[in-house]
Amino acid sequence: MNHSSAEAEAETIEPLRYISKGEVTAIETELLRDYRFGQQQLIEIWGQACALAITKAYPLSSLSKKQPTVLVICGPDQNGSIGLVCARHLRIFEYEPTIYHPKRSSHSLHQDFTVQCEKMDIPFLSYLPTEVQLINDAYNLVIDAMLGPEADIINIKEPYPGILATLKQVKIPIASVDVPSGWDVEEPSQDGINPDVLISLTAPKKCATSFSGKHFLAGRFLPYDIQKKYELNLPDYPGTDCLIEL
């Protein structure tokens, strides 16, 4: 390949698309309805990918504390379920997750994922210490699986505003699932939490354009026709990896 054709090829690679809240919903609806993915299947794919991203960003050998402790904070909706699956896979990868899950969903899937974690002897906290130093001392990092793209951030109900206030003060790293909690899907955050790692699921959301930390994307499972229809321009994933660092 000569120099000019290499340049031409470089120019034709479209940039990765950052999607809106409406596109998030549309893609998920198509996956469930037209492609016959199951809700449980998608949550499992995403949760496992999140756990793998954590192992890449924070390998066991790099953790500063004697025990490889991780605090996973789960919300009431789908992001919380993804957090539960992430915690279970981290346990399999020999981390020591603890789950804080203040508002449990009555959804049967959510309950199934909760039982799976309980059966893996993953402890659940009954309350989150407001004394930030206790969190800094007990855990290597926090995984924020609270308020996903589906959350109405104008009307965040308790206990989440209180948890977000605590997370703004912690000194240990935070890794957020899909959308940092409290951020608007469409807009870069002004005063929300400031995670060190973001794990975007399917495709990155518009709010992530301003994210400056370590950014992973887990969307390799997406059928080609959906990738094309929404012009996602997903990157080439390395080897057989299900996620890529952007």
mmCIF file of all heavy atoms in Angstrom, residues 177-195:
data_model
loop_
_atom_site.group_PDB
_atom_site.id
_atom_site.type_symbol
_atom_site.label_atom_id
_atom_site.label_comp_id
_atom_site.label_asym_id
_atom_site.label_seq_id
_atom_site.Cartn_x
_atom_site.Cartn_y
_atom_site.Cartn_z
ATOM 1 N N VAL A 177 -20.445 2.498 35.906
ATOM 2 C CA VAL A 177 -21.017 1.624 34.893
ATOM 3 C C VAL A 177 -21.906 2.441 33.952
ATOM 4 O O VAL A 177 -22.904 3.022 34.394
ATOM 5 C CB VAL A 177 -21.843 0.501 35.566
ATOM 6 C CG1 VAL A 177 -22.598 -0.321 34.524
ATOM 7 C CG2 VAL A 177 -20.924 -0.399 36.393
ATOM 8 N N ASP A 178 -21.522 2.516 32.696
ATOM 9 C CA ASP A 178 -22.297 3.104 31.591
ATOM 10 C C ASP A 178 -22.429 4.629 31.626
ATOM 11 O O ASP A 178 -22.078 5.312 30.676
ATOM 12 C CB ASP A 178 -23.669 2.446 31.474
ATOM 13 C CG ASP A 178 -24.164 2.445 30.029
ATOM 14 O OD1 ASP A 178 -23.350 2.683 29.124
ATOM 15 O OD2 ASP A 178 -25.357 2.195 29.805
ATOM 16 N N VAL A 179 -22.966 5.159 32.735
ATOM 17 C CA VAL A 179 -23.098 6.611 32.892
ATOM 18 C C VAL A 179 -22.750 6.917 34.350
ATOM 19 O O VAL A 179 -23.303 6.274 35.250
ATOM 20 C CB VAL A 179 -24.557 7.063 32.616
ATOM 21 C CG1 VAL A 179 -24.732 8.545 32.932
ATOM 22 C CG2 VAL A 179 -24.951 6.786 31.176
ATOM 23 N N PRO A 180 -21.849 7.849 34.609
ATOM 24 C CA PRO A 180 -21.578 8.168 36.021
ATOM 25 C C PRO A 180 -22.870 8.639 36.699
ATOM 26 O O PRO A 180 -23.597 9.465 36.144
ATOM 27 C CB PRO A 180 -20.543 9.311 35.928
ATOM 28 C CG PRO A 180 -19.907 9.143 34.572
ATOM 29 C CD PRO A 180 -21.005 8.635 33.680
ATOM 30 N N SER A 181 -23.162 8.098 37.868
ATOM 31 C CA SER A 181 -24.430 8.408 38.541
ATOM 32 C C SER A 181 -24.574 9.900 38.775
ATOM 33 O O SER A 181 -23.637 10.571 39.208
ATOM 34 C CB SER A 181 -24.522 7.667 39.870
ATOM 35 O OG SER A 181 -24.699 6.297 39.608
ATOM 36 N N GLY A 182 -25.771 10.408 38.450
ATOM 37 C CA GLY A 182 -26.052 11.819 38.620
ATOM 38 C C GLY A 182 -25.754 12.649 37.373
ATOM 39 O O GLY A 182 -26.107 13.819 37.309
ATOM 40 N N TRP A 183 -25.085 12.044 36.375
ATOM 41 C CA TRP A 183 -24.827 12.761 35.124
ATOM 42 C C TRP A 183 -26.033 12.635 34.206
ATOM 43 O O TRP A 183 -26.709 11.603 34.189
ATOM 44 C CB TRP A 183 -23.627 12.172 34.390
ATOM 45 C CG TRP A 183 -22.279 12.460 34.963
ATOM 46 C CD1 TRP A 183 -21.973 12.627 36.291
ATOM 47 C CD2 TRP A 183 -21.039 12.572 34.247
ATOM 48 N NE1 TRP A 183 -20.617 12.830 36.433
ATOM 49 C CE2 TRP A 183 -20.021 12.802 35.200
ATOM 50 C CE3 TRP A 183 -20.702 12.486 32.900
ATOM 51 C CZ2 TRP A 183 -18.678 12.948 34.837
ATOM 52 C CZ3 TRP A 183 -19.364 12.635 32.545
ATOM 53 C CH2 TRP A 183 -18.369 12.878 33.507
ATOM 54 N N ASP A 184 -26.280 13.667 33.428
ATOM 55 C CA ASP A 184 -27.276 13.613 32.364
ATOM 56 C C ASP A 184 -26.671 12.833 31.203
ATOM 57 O O ASP A 184 -25.518 13.073 30.840
ATOM 58 C CB ASP A 184 -27.604 15.048 31.927
ATOM 59 C CG ASP A 184 -28.731 15.104 30.904
ATOM 60 O OD1 ASP A 184 -28.788 14.227 30.019
ATOM 61 O OD2 ASP A 184 -29.544 16.031 30.972
ATOM 62 N N VAL A 185 -27.433 11.895 30.635
ATOM 63 C CA VAL A 185 -26.921 11.072 29.528
ATOM 64 C C VAL A 185 -26.422 11.940 28.372
ATOM 65 O O VAL A 185 -25.453 11.618 27.693
ATOM 66 C CB VAL A 185 -28.017 10.115 28.997
ATOM 67 C CG1 VAL A 185 -27.485 9.260 27.859
ATOM 68 C CG2 VAL A 185 -28.511 9.211 30.113
ATOM 69 N N GLU A 186 -27.100 13.067 28.170
ATOM 70 C CA GLU A 186 -26.812 13.901 26.990
ATOM 71 C C GLU A 186 -25.720 14.947 27.235
ATOM 72 O O GLU A 186 -25.147 15.465 26.292
ATOM 73 C CB GLU A 186 -28.079 14.672 26.559
ATOM 74 C CG GLU A 186 -29.338 13.829 26.481
ATOM 75 C CD GLU A 186 -29.490 13.128 25.140
ATOM 76 O OE1 GLU A 186 -28.872 13.568 24.169
ATOM 77 O OE2 GLU A 186 -30.224 12.129 25.093
ATOM 78 N N GLU A 187 -25.507 15.291 28.512
ATOM 79 C CA GLU A 187 -24.659 16.454 28.802
ATOM 80 C C GLU A 187 -23.475 16.079 29.678
ATOM 81 O O GLU A 187 -23.629 15.339 30.629
ATOM 82 C CB GLU A 187 -25.472 17.513 29.584
ATOM 83 C CG GLU A 187 -26.704 18.017 28.881
ATOM 84 C CD GLU A 187 -26.361 18.894 27.686
ATOM 85 O OE1 GLU A 187 -25.282 19.498 27.694
ATOM 86 O OE2 GLU A 187 -27.180 18.948 26.754
ATOM 87 N N PRO A 188 -22.300 16.651 29.390
ATOM 88 C CA PRO A 188 -21.180 16.481 30.312
ATOM 89 C C PRO A 188 -21.562 17.050 31.684
ATOM 90 O O PRO A 188 -22.270 18.047 31.770
ATOM 91 C CB PRO A 188 -20.063 17.309 29.677
ATOM 92 C CG PRO A 188 -20.446 17.448 28.233
ATOM 93 C CD PRO A 188 -21.949 17.455 28.202
ATOM 94 N N SER A 189 -21.092 16.394 32.736
ATOM 95 C CA SER A 189 -21.492 16.800 34.083
ATOM 96 C C SER A 189 -20.745 18.045 34.537
ATOM 97 O O SER A 189 -19.590 18.233 34.221
ATOM 98 C CB SER A 189 -21.192 15.675 35.057
ATOM 99 O OG SER A 189 -21.304 16.143 36.374
ATOM 100 N N GLN A 190 -21.443 18.879 35.289
ATOM 101 C CA GLN A 190 -20.791 20.048 35.885
ATOM 102 C C GLN A 190 -20.317 19.723 37.296
ATOM 103 O O GLN A 190 -19.179 19.955 37.631
ATOM 104 C CB GLN A 190 -21.773 21.237 35.927
ATOM 105 C CG GLN A 190 -22.328 21.643 34.578
ATOM 106 C CD GLN A 190 -21.240 21.871 33.529
ATOM 107 O OE1 GLN A 190 -20.253 22.544 33.799
ATOM 108 N NE2 GLN A 190 -21.398 21.307 32.353
ATOM 109 N N ASP A 191 -21.220 19.152 38.104
ATOM 110 C CA ASP A 191 -20.867 19.023 39.531
ATOM 111 C C ASP A 191 -21.156 17.625 40.069
ATOM 112 O O ASP A 191 -21.332 17.447 41.261
ATOM 113 C CB ASP A 191 -21.628 20.070 40.350
ATOM 114 C CG ASP A 191 -23.132 19.867 40.277
ATOM 115 O OD1 ASP A 191 -23.598 19.098 39.419
ATOM 116 O OD2 ASP A 191 -23.851 20.454 41.088
ATOM 117 N N GLY A 192 -21.232 16.632 39.196
ATOM 118 C CA GLY A 192 -21.507 15.273 39.662
ATOM 119 C C GLY A 192 -20.259 14.606 40.218
ATOM 120 O O GLY A 192 -19.237 15.257 40.428
ATOM 121 N N ILE A 193 -20.352 13.309 40.443
ATOM 122 C CA ILE A 193 -19.165 12.579 40.883
ATOM 123 C C ILE A 193 -18.163 12.568 39.726
ATOM 124 O O ILE A 193 -18.517 12.771 38.573
ATOM 125 C CB ILE A 193 -19.498 11.125 41.308
ATOM 126 C CG1 ILE A 193 -20.107 10.329 40.145
ATOM 127 C CG2 ILE A 193 -20.410 11.105 42.514
ATOM 128 C CD1 ILE A 193 -20.194 8.851 40.409
ATOM 129 N N ASN A 194 -16.923 12.318 40.076
ATOM 130 C CA ASN A 194 -15.868 12.385 39.070
ATOM 131 C C ASN A 194 -15.131 11.041 39.036
ATOM 132 O O ASN A 194 -14.082 10.897 39.651
ATOM 133 C CB ASN A 194 -14.925 13.537 39.435
ATOM 134 C CG ASN A 194 -13.926 13.793 38.328
ATOM 135 O OD1 ASN A 194 -14.120 13.361 37.187
ATOM 136 N ND2 ASN A 194 -12.851 14.461 38.667
ATOM 137 N N PRO A 195 -15.679 10.045 38.324
ATOM 138 C CA PRO A 195 -15.050 8.717 38.359
ATOM 139 C C PRO A 195 -13.698 8.699 37.649
ATOM 140 O O PRO A 195 -13.431 9.519 36.770
ATOM 141 C CB PRO A 195 -16.057 7.826 37.633
ATOM 142 C CG PRO A 195 -16.874 8.742 36.801
ATOM 143 C CD PRO A 195 -16.871 10.080 37.477
#
